[in-house]
Amino acid sequence: MDESSADSGPVPPSASDSDAAREASPPIVEQLPSWRKRWKSRMVVALVIAAAATLIYRRVSMPTGVPANLATLQSPEDKKNTKGPTDPFTFGPFTLRPSESDRIEAGIKPGHWTMASQDVRANFDDFRGELVTEVVQPTGDGVDLDGQTFHMRSSRPAVLPKLQKKLLDIAMFNPVEHFSRQVAPRLLTRTGRDVWNARELLSPIPAEQYFLVVLARQPEDYRYLQTMDTVRAPQGSSEDRGAQAHYRVVAPTVTLLAPVPSQALFWTSTAVVLWDGLDPTLLTTAQQQALIDWLHWGGQLIVSGPDSLDQLRDSFLDGVLPATGGEGWEMTEATLAALGHISPDTERKIRLFQPWSGQHLNVEQRDGQVLAEADDHQPLIVEQRIGRGRTVVTAFRLSQRDLIDWAGFDAVFNAALLRAPARRFARSIEDKVGVEWADGIEEAPGRVTQVRFFTRDAGRPLPQPRDVHELRGQRGLVKPQVITGSDPFGPDADMMGQKIAIGPGIAAWDDQSHASQAARESLKEAAGIQVPRARFVFALLGAYVFVLVPLNWLLCRSFGRVEMAWLLAPAIAVVFGVVVVRLAQLDIGFVRSATELAVLEVQGDYPRAHLTRYCALYTSLSTDYSLALSNPSAVALPFATGMGLSTGPQQRRGTVVLRQEPDTGTASEIPVRLEQLTVSSNSTGMVHTEEMFDLGGSLQFVPGSDGGKHRIRNGTALHLRNAVVMDRNARAVDGPSTEYRYAWLGTLEPGDEAEFELFSRQDGAFQEPSEQEAKAFESLASLNVKPLVDVAQKDIGSAELRLMAWTDDELPGVTITPVANQARHAAAIVAHLSYGATRPLEMDFNSRAQVAEGLPDENESGDFMAPANGATP
């Protein structure tokens, strides 16, 4: 065996031999010179330090706003090569609603609440913090609320799960009196440290301009709206660049969620919504409710057929549409010829490249009114009144190219779809064709939007029309003077030698409206602080002297211990001092008090109301108040107190915070809070809140037929006191009437019904209200609601039937902290039972084409056009 091993050749080394060899041979690194080992170690350390220094430098030197724009600054190639996010947050655009893009230049209306949205994602960890916005001046200082020493900051929680994109909505209020403003959104940690901030310029919208929002499956089909005269309202000037336009068209591309507000009070800057084929489920439940509320207070919804009606069947809009969709319908030029009757330019008929696909409109089971119909009486355009607003449906699609190219379409859009007054086209001094209202009314927001709220718009002066006969013979456009419907606000933009008012217009939050002034005077009367009267002082002194001397002596003498009178005197003084302080507190309101005067505006047969609260808070010591509002639709701001209400030192400047909680479906969080409302010592601070309020039912009004009695049922949960129904005297024909017809209903408990007839004071059947009824509104728990009722009476429309009442029911929804020792409340009810018959369509005086070609006007009479179904005004 040993021999064979020797003959086989060299033997491979064993494992133990290999280990021994490695131990005998030093590593290669150890074999290198020492200076090379030191150089390599130092290079590794230097590279680590350089990488760390570069990262620290980038973080420190990066501007605060860079993360917001980081995604947009990266090229597509850079994004492909990026393995993951390098920053803790990714911020998208800060946008306003309504909007159609990532640009904030969509516009904001001064004096109106606006909903803003911030797109953000946390990349590294879950994040809990606050999103805060504030309207600021270029210097960074907050902008004061109109007529106040407060400025407002909005806040909401920002809960960001890791790597989940979140869209955070937040409320904004843009005051009227300051311009050149910016909005400053910030993301804060829970400790208040800035994580991100930005600055965006605000683009104010003129007073007479409102949004026209297109909610369509193919919004690009409606870009033509921006060129229509009824939208642009050109003044015949080379300077026409959109500032004079009646509507600002917003046509967003909707994929996941419609970019519209989720609360009705944020819809006041929108006048019209055009709906075409959009899936209604792309609106959240809150957005759907907000749109319905907006409709009842004057919004206009235009639904383009033929596909929309089938899509909206059984949706949230089904109950407000004037017709249901029927079978398909092939439309020809003869079918659509009736549309030409709405245009003054009858020579230019609609021409079709090929027949249209339309849809029959069924109006039998709906309360719709036909505005245009084909020769076979098939409806083409149908409308229905919804509260103060309206919906209108067409049997054809409004984006047909043949329709857009037709010269008469602008007249149809103005008269039938928008229900706007007649217009007159003429040449300007620059020999360009412009347009104005045919009756000579100067530019006014009330012609563009029909949205109204009683506490904001009641009592606004109506513009007076010019002489139509004078206008008929006039050549050229009349130089318009803008009427805002309220006092002019702020600096104006000069255009064509005239002024474009940048103001709130109609339906704006207004602390100086007629209703606000009436409420302020009533609160001033109720919450006024007066020095105790001389009679009160002498009565207390007399009682003290009587108790201290004769009564004390007689009491001690009856016990045979007259000397005890001296010992009881100090105790009597202490007790009497406490009594005097307490009585003085009650006399002058020394303890904290809260006085609330509310206004409930109701649209007939609708279970939700617009609730406005005016609250006066008196305190003897400087107090920071907090208001918790349980209604997610509520908004609140300090109320301008005006002159003469504050009884203490000048109210110091401060910041109030409107905090909104997201809708989590739980009742653990208060949806809205107004915090840090500081009221100085011995002063009265005031708060103004608004919300959409659930009545628990509706006021059901049934008009009398053939001269019979009207009937009303109180289906709400409110106890209506001293209810009175009024309208303007229908027999008055010369101008607006100041004579009214009345029907006193007295008290209407929940579920009560009443029948009534209206009589004027000149009618023999008129029953004079009792003295108690006549004074019922003057005193209610020391709150005088009569000034508000007077405003409501004077504001009744020419054909409107309105109910007014008051209630002492406590309207839930607001909790004030700290709690007031004294609290009083009352509410005035203003219910619009009926707005009267719908007025006929108004045909334009002439057309653009007639003026451009020098043709004579066809509608020189200026007559109105009666609706297709023969209804009369």
Side-chain angles (χ1 to χ4, degrees):
M1 183 173 179
D2 294 339
E3 292 178 358
S4 63
S5 299
D7 293 339
S8 62
V11 178
S14 63
S16 60
D17 295 338
S18 299
D19 294 339
R22 281 196 298 270
E23 292 177 0
S25 300
I28 296 177
V29 177
E30 294 183 5
Q31 297 177 17
L32 295 176
S34 60
W35 66 270
R36 293 185 65 183
K37 291 190 290 183
R38 290 194 301 270
W39 175 84
K40 188 167 186 178
S41 301
R42 291 172 180 174
M43 279 291 295
V44 173
V45 173
L47 288 174
V48 173
I49 294 175
T54 302
L55 180 61
I56 294 173
Y57 174 78
R58 288 180 59 189
R59 291 298 181 93
V60 173
S61 61
M62 182 180 292
T64 310
V66 167
N69 302 320
L70 185 61
T72 59
L73 292 177
Q74 290 179 325
S75 65
E77 292 76 16
D78 294 335
K79 293 180 180 179
K80 291 179 182 178
N81 296 331
T82 301
K83 296 182 179 180
T86 59
D87 293 287
F89 297 94
T90 300
F91 292 90
F94 183 81
T95 58
L96 305 179
R97 296 190 181 185
S99 63
E100 66 179 34
S101 67
D102 296 344
R103 298 176 296 106
I104 199 172
E105 288 80 3
I108 188 170
K109 203 159 178 62
H112 292 251
W113 286 93
T114 302
M115 184 167 288
S117 298
Q118 176 61 57
D119 201 351
V120 60
R121 184 185 69 183
N123 295 324
F124 297 161
D125 299 292
D126 293 345
F127 176 83
R128 289 181 177 271
E130 296 285 326
L131 178 64
V132 175
T133 63
E134 188 174 5
V135 179
V136 298
Q137 305 176 38
T139 60
D141 298 329
V143 173
D144 287 347
L145 298 171
D146 299 324
Q148 302 190 50
T149 59
F150 291 104
H151 60 272
M152 189 201 79
R153 181 180 301 146
S154 298
S155 171
R156 62 148 294 158
V159 181
L160 308 175
K162 180 182 176 180
L163 295 179
Q164 292 187 21
K165 185 177 179 181
K166 299 282 287 186
L167 188 65
L168 305 179
D169 294 338
I170 191 167
M172 284 180 53
F173 182 77
N174 193 19
V176 175
E177 295 180 353
H178 300 273
F179 287 85
S180 299
R181 288 164 296 187
Q182 303 171 352
V183 59
R186 295 186 296 156
L187 185 64
L188 309 178
T189 65
R190 284 185 288 186
T191 60
R193 180 175 60 86
D194 266 17
V195 173
W196 166 86
N197 63 67
R199 193 72 65 85
E200 298 279 359
L201 292 176
L202 295 177
S203 175
I205 296 178
E208 71 280 2
Q209 191 174 107
Y210 288 79
F211 287 114
L212 190 160
V213 179
V214 178
L215 297 179
R217 185 170 53 233
Q218 297 175 324
E220 62 276 3
D221 292 347
Y222 289 92
R223 297 297 177 188
Y224 72 85
L225 292 172
Q226 299 176 358
T227 64
M228 296 185 68
D229 289 327
T230 190
V231 172
R232 291 176 54 246
Q235 299 171 348
S237 168
S238 57
E239 299 296 327
D240 285 344
R241 291 190 176 92
Q244 80 293 336
H246 287 165
Y247 300 99
R248 183 167 296 197
V249 179
V250 176
T253 300
V254 183
T255 54
L256 298 177
L257 182 65
V260 295
S262 57
Q263 305 297 344
L265 298 182
F266 292 81
W267 278 74
T268 55
S269 57
T270 298
V272 182
V273 170
L274 194 156
W275 191 291
D276 185 2
L278 186 73
D279 184 355
T281 61
L282 293 177
L283 275 69
T284 66
T285 302
Q287 289 175 324
Q288 295 174 7
Q289 183 63 70
L291 195 153
I292 297 297
D293 289 340
W294 167 78
L295 270 177
H296 281 82
W297 266 262
Q300 297 194 67
L301 174 65
I302 302 172
V303 178
S304 172
D307 300 329
S308 296
L309 288 178
D310 292 336
Q311 193 173 39
L312 294 176
R313 184 178 289 115
D314 298 327
S315 73
F316 75 102
L317 286 175
D318 191 20
V320 299
L321 297 180
T324 58
E327 297 179 351
W329 186 12
E330 184 178 276
M331 295 183 168
T332 63
E333 292 180 359
T335 304
L336 299 166
L339 297 179
H341 300 158
I342 305 177
S343 170
D345 195 355
T346 58
E347 292 297 324
R348 293 173 172 81
K349 301 182 182 299
I350 186 169
R351 302 298 180 188
L352 304 187
F353 179 74
Q354 62 182 7
W356 293 356
S357 296
Q359 186 178 26
H360 287 286
L361 301 179
N362 301 324
V363 297
E364 290 79 10
Q365 298 179 354
R366 301 293 175 105
D367 191 20
Q369 176 178 333
V370 179
L371 300 182
E373 61 182 19
D375 292 339
D376 57 355
H377 302 293
Q378 289 296 324
L380 297 173
I381 304 176
V382 184
E383 74 168 358
Q384 178 178 337
R385 173 170 282 167
I386 306 297
R388 182 181 175 83
R390 63 188 284 266
T391 56
V392 58
V393 173
T394 62
F396 49 88
R397 197 171 183 210
L398 294 174
S399 60
Q400 300 276 2
R401 176 49 56 184
D402 297 331
L403 182 67
I404 299 171
D405 294 340
W406 176 43
F409 180 47
D410 186 81
V412 173
F413 200 98
N414 183 77
L417 299 184
L418 292 180
R419 269 290 191 167
R423 302 167 300 167
R424 169 181 174 268
F425 290 85
R427 291 190 177 274
S428 67
I429 57 176
E430 297 184 25
D431 199 30
K432 295 179 180 294
V433 179
V435 66
E436 64 183 1
W437 300 116
D439 58 5
I441 291 288
E442 299 162 336
E443 292 297 331
R447 286 288 174 92
V448 178
T449 180
Q450 298 303 315
V451 179
R452 302 285 190 278
F453 290 95
F454 169 74
T455 52
R456 302 184 181 192
D457 302 298
R460 290 187 184 274
L462 297 177
Q464 298 300 317
R466 300 192 184 108
D467 188 349
V468 177
H469 298 285
E470 177 185 348
L471 288 172
R472 235 177 241 137
Q474 182 174 340
R475 298 296 179 185
L477 293 170
V478 178
K479 183 178 179 180
Q481 299 175 357
V482 174
I483 296 178
T484 65
S486 184
D487 297 332
F489 297 97
D492 301 330
D494 188 87
M495 175 175 290
M496 194 180 155
Q498 58 190 309
K499 299 293 183 180
I500 301 297
I502 305 296
I506 298 295
W509 184 277
D510 194 351
D511 283 352
Q512 303 301 329
S513 68
H514 287 215
S516 295
Q517 292 178 14
R520 183 184 292 111
E521 291 302 314
S522 296
L523 288 176
K524 178 181 176 181
E525 178 183 340
I529 309 303
Q530 299 178 352
V531 177
R533 296 176 297 275
R535 181 185 303 174
F536 173 81
V537 176
F538 284 117
L540 290 180
L541 288 175
Y544 174 68
V545 172
F546 174 77
V547 172
L548 181 64
V549 181
L551 187 60
N552 182 25
W553 183 83
L554 289 174
L555 183 62
C556 293
R557 184 175 182 276
S558 64
F559 290 102
R561 301 291 299 274
V562 178
E563 67 278 5
M564 291 294 296
W566 292 100
L567 297 177
L568 291 177
I572 293 174
V574 172
V575 172
F576 211 86
V578 173
V579 173
V580 169
V581 170
R582 180 60 180 169
L583 292 176
Q585 288 177 346
L586 295 175
D587 185 74
I588 67 175
F590 187 76
V591 294
R592 289 194 191 97
S593 66
T595 306
E596 179 186 295
L597 187 57
V599 180
L600 266 172
E601 183 183 14
V602 182
Q603 301 292 344
D605 207 17
Y606 188 59
R608 288 165 62 85
H610 176 242
L611 172 59
T612 303
R613 305 177 196 256
Y614 301 100
C615 188
L617 304 173
Y618 171 77
T619 180
S620 59
L621 299 175
S622 180
T623 304
D624 286 340
Y625 282 98
S626 174
L627 278 75
L629 297 95
S630 60
N631 193 324
S633 69
V635 288
L637 286 177
F639 184 43
T641 57
M643 298 298 294
L645 185 59
S646 178
T647 59
Q650 179 70 24
Q651 180 69 49
R652 62 176 180 267
R653 189 172 301 277
T655 301
V656 293
V657 178
L658 183 72
R659 179 177 174 82
Q660 295 178 301
E661 293 284 346
D663 185 8
T664 59
T666 63
S668 59
E669 296 289 345
I670 301 298
V672 182
R673 288 182 180 273
L674 184 67
E675 300 175 338
Q676 301 180 20
L677 178 65
T678 302
V679 179
S680 300
S681 301
N682 296 326
S683 297
T684 302
M686 300 183 75
V687 182
H688 175 183
T689 76
E690 295 185 21
E691 63 187 84
M692 301 307 297
F693 185 79
D694 189 354
L695 295 171
S698 62
L699 283 174
Q700 299 152 13
F701 170 69
V702 180
S705 58
D706 300 329
K709 291 184 177 182
H710 306 291
R711 188 169 73 253
I712 188 171
R713 180 180 182 275
N714 180 14
T716 73
L718 300 175
H719 300 78
L720 305 184
R721 313 296 186 193
N722 294 92
V724 57
V725 179
M726 300 176 63
D727 74 349
R728 288 187 182 273
N729 194 337
R731 295 177 301 183
V733 294
D734 297 329
S737 172
T738 56
E739 293 295 329
Y740 300 91
R741 297 190 303 173
Y742 305 80
W744 291 88
L745 305 182
T747 299
L748 285 177
E749 300 290 344
D752 283 358
E753 293 188 12
E755 290 187 342
F756 63 91
E757 291 183 84
L758 298 170
F759 298 101
S760 66
R761 295 184 182 276
Q762 288 75 27
D763 294 327
F766 178 77
Q767 295 182 355
E768 192 74 28
S770 65
E771 182 178 353
Q772 181 180 2
E773 290 176 323
K775 295 183 177 180
F777 295 103
E778 296 182 3
S779 179
L780 172 63
S782 302
L783 290 177
N784 187 1
V785 299
K786 190 173 186 303
L788 283 169
V789 175
D790 290 342
V791 173
Q793 174 179 332
K794 295 176 182 178
D795 187 59
I796 295 177
S798 59
E800 182 187 355
L801 189 66
R802 182 176 293 185
L803 178 143
M804 288 160 289
W806 60 262
T807 182
D808 53 1
D809 295 342
E810 184 174 359
L811 304 177
V814 174
T815 302
I816 301 175
T817 306
V819 178
N821 302 77
Q822 301 176 7
R824 292 169 290 179
H825 56 266
I829 313 295
V830 179
H832 310 278
L833 301 181
S834 171
Y835 287 97
T838 305
R839 60 181 175 83
L841 298 182
E842 297 185 25
M843 184 185 297
D844 284 347
F845 187 77
N846 56 7
S847 71
R848 166 179 285 275
Q850 290 173 330
V851 175
E853 298 178 9
L855 300 177
D857 301 332
E858 293 193 16
N859 189 30
E860 293 186 357
S861 65
D863 293 337
F864 294 127
M865 174 185 172
N869 62 358
T872 57

